[in-house]
Amino acid sequence: MSEQTIPSLSGYEEPTLEAAFITLSEEVRTTAAETAADPEAFRLHWLGRKQGRLKLISEAWLKSAPPEAKKALGIRFNELKALVEYQLSPERLVKVPVSEPGLVSEYATQGGTIAASLQNKKHPHPLDITLPGTLRAPGIPHPLLKTMHEIVSVFHHLGYSTNLGPQVESDFYNFEALNFPENHPARDTQDTLVIANQQSRPSRDRLLMRTHTSPVQIRTMIAQAPPIRIVIPGKVHRNDAADATHSPIFHQIEGLCVDTNITFSDLKGTLDHAMKALFGSDVKTRFFPSFFPFTEPSADVQISCIFCGGKGCRKCKHSGWIELLGCGMVDPAVFAAVIAERRKINPADNTYNPEKITGFAFGMGVERIAMMLHGVSDIGHFYSGDMRFLEQFA
Ligand code: PHE
């Protein structure tokens, strides 16, 4: 064990104190290693009431310290004492190999950040590799994200790629280019949240929270020539009151396929395959006439009830069918809006000539599909952050 000499302190500035106490903590570790067989000797050496090293050094350093340095010194003495006591703690005495201080100084000589963090005052104790590690619960994808991935992956297998667009959208992309004329009642079907103070802008530039993912159809076609096969997952906003099946913020996945010779049969085949891939190969689909301004003809897609197999139950209101998504053939008016935009850049552009090019689009609500797949009865569970709900998807 080292001689009882009291080191001298050359000043009270932070760096001097830091250096002095690093030396002292190294001394603690060395003596701990040397006296591993005799913890009592170690205790007396450092903590002895009369001749203990801590007491002697603190008397020598603290007494002569100017009043403003006493606090900083006191804190460091407490930390040093905690380090000494730690060496005497049962788990340390029993488990720690004598050679461990060497391990710590090895890190120190490598200039590693571990050594630095050990000497940091938040870590007065040396590295103890025998202690159990910190158990962290691994995260899981949120059930909505998981459902989105599942749906998107069905289409990736069909050769689709993914596109995204902004949630704050302009009137042009969200409505006008999708053939919702200004003041047309079709806009009422999508209760819109608009951004304030836009009155001075031309109506096509006014900003709103997108009510559907369809504006990304327009963005994609303006940017890129056919053939197009994309899916667009994303968040949408509507001025809807929240209840068990509605939320003002929800998620959709849009699909768009544009090429030569795309027919309604392609649309039916694609969605029939997708529904079977998602809900099981027994599921049947049927297409009902519907209306969307940007598709013509338009259809609502129903799938045979996955709860009763189509016999009729409470979930399908005894009809045997559940309505799941909207779709249709891209309306020529949409292509016309896209061509007009593309011609602003290249007046000769004819890539979306509706004589040659056709396409289909579809849109589905992610929450509704997730609720069906997992038997969730209240949409609010998805947004509650309640671990008891979320952990069921781990
Ligand atoms: N955007 C429509 C909606 O939100 C859904 C849809 C997308 C319909 C694509 C047809 C084609 O209601």
Side-chain angles (χ1 to χ4, degrees):
M1 195 168 301
S2 51
E3 289 264 299
Q4 276 292 50
T5 47
I6 308 299
S8 63
L9 191 61
S10 57
Y12 296 96
E13 313 75 41
E14 262 309 297
T16 317
L17 293 184
E18 179 80 22
F21 278 86
I22 286 176
T23 313
L24 281 177
S25 35
E26 271 159 15
E27 198 187 314
V28 169
R29 292 187 195 107
T30 322
T31 48
E34 285 167 4
T35 53
D38 190 357
E40 181 56 16
F42 175 81
R43 196 191 63 76
L44 271 176
H45 177 75
W46 283 100
L47 301 174
R49 278 239 210 123
K50 287 191 183 138
Q51 290 301 307
R53 199 151 166 72
L54 270 183
K55 168 127 177 94
L56 296 178
I57 300 171
S58 98
E59 270 176 1
W61 290 4
L62 261 174
K63 242 183 221 159
S64 51
E68 63 277 8
K70 288 207 156 113
K71 189 175 169 200
L73 259 175
I75 292 173
R76 289 183 185 275
F77 270 111
N78 285 340
E79 284 168 4
L80 191 66
K81 192 170 173 211
L83 177 61
V84 172
E85 282 164 353
Y86 174 68
Q87 309 294 329
L88 289 162
S89 62
E91 85 259 32
R92 177 103 189 136
L93 284 174
V94 176
K95 290 191 204 138
V96 172
V98 173
S99 61
E100 200 206 310
L103 183 70
V104 173
S105 53
E106 201 176 293
Y107 279 117
T109 52
Q110 287 166 7
T113 50
I114 297 175
S117 78
L118 283 169
Q119 286 158 357
N120 183 303
K121 54 182 159 187
K122 288 196 190 102
H123 298 280
H125 309 315
L127 179 67
D128 184 346
I129 54 167
T130 63
L131 290 175
T134 314
L135 258 190
R136 287 179 217 281
I140 53 147
H142 187 278
L144 285 178
L145 212 55
K146 191 170 163 236
T147 308
M148 283 212 245
H149 284 149
E150 280 165 15
I151 301 170
V152 164
S153 113
V154 168
F155 289 96
H156 280 181
H157 282 98
L158 294 174
Y160 283 63
S161 47
T162 306
N163 220 355
L164 301 172
Q167 288 176 52
V168 179
E169 191 49 284
S170 73
D171 186 279
F172 174 74
Y173 289 108
N174 196 84
F175 288 127
E176 214 178 295
L178 287 163
N179 197 29
F180 289 82
E182 220 185 330
N183 303 320
H184 193 279
R187 291 196 179 201
D188 296 348
T189 59
Q190 305 198 353
D191 256 341
T192 314
L193 294 160
V194 297
I195 306 284
N197 304 323
Q198 301 281 305
Q199 290 83 345
S200 60
R201 295 183 169 214
S203 64
R204 73 170 256 159
D205 295 338
R206 289 186 194 160
L207 297 177
L208 42 83
M209 303 308 291
R210 69 174 176 196
T211 56
H212 51 175
T213 40
S214 304
V216 192
Q217 287 187 28
I218 306 296
R219 289 181 175 276
T220 307
M221 288 190 278
I222 291 175
Q224 166 184 340
I228 287 179
R229 281 167 184 72
I230 48 153
V231 274
I232 304 143
K235 208 168 267 183
V236 301
H237 302 68
R238 291 189 194 178
N239 185 22
D240 280 340
D243 64 24
T245 54
H246 292 85
S247 157
I249 303 175
F250 61 104
H251 300 80
Q252 287 189 333
I253 293 184
E254 188 88 9
L256 176 69
C257 170
V258 181
D259 206 338
T260 47
N261 296 321
I262 298 292
T263 67
F264 201 87
S265 307
D266 297 313
L267 169 60
K268 285 186 80 171
T270 302
L271 290 180
D272 186 71
H273 166 81
M275 293 303 114
K276 286 182 164 66
L278 279 173
F279 294 102
S281 51
D282 295 342
V283 158
K284 292 185 196 63
T285 52
R286 64 178 189 181
F287 291 68
F288 261 60
S290 182
F291 173 77
F292 299 101
F294 42 94
T295 47
E296 181 61 31
S298 305
D300 283 330
V301 183
Q302 302 180 346
I303 63 167
S304 54
C305 179
I306 60 164
F307 302 104
C308 63
K311 287 192 202 72
C313 67
R314 253 186 39 194
K315 291 263 171 59
C316 59
K317 302 200 182 80
H318 303 281
S319 70
W321 295 91
I322 292 179
E323 197 176 301
L324 213 54
L325 64 145
C327 66
M329 302 304 292
V330 178
D331 194 304
V334 171
F335 286 138
V338 169
I339 291 168
E341 288 305 300
R342 290 178 64 99
R343 286 196 180 154
K344 287 181 186 169
I345 298 156
N346 172 12
D349 185 276
N350 202 25
T351 38
Y352 283 89
N353 178 359
E355 304 275 299
K356 292 197 185 126
I357 295 291
T358 51
F360 64 74
F362 54 86
M364 58 188 104
V366 178
E367 277 78 351
R368 200 166 145 67
I369 293 176
M371 286 167 85
M372 282 182 61
L373 284 172
H374 300 290
V376 176
S377 54
D378 189 334
I379 198 171
H381 287 311
F382 289 125
Y383 318 116
S384 67
D386 190 332
M387 290 299 283
R388 292 167 303 177
F389 173 75
L390 295 173
E391 273 167 2
Q392 297 179 65
F393 298 89

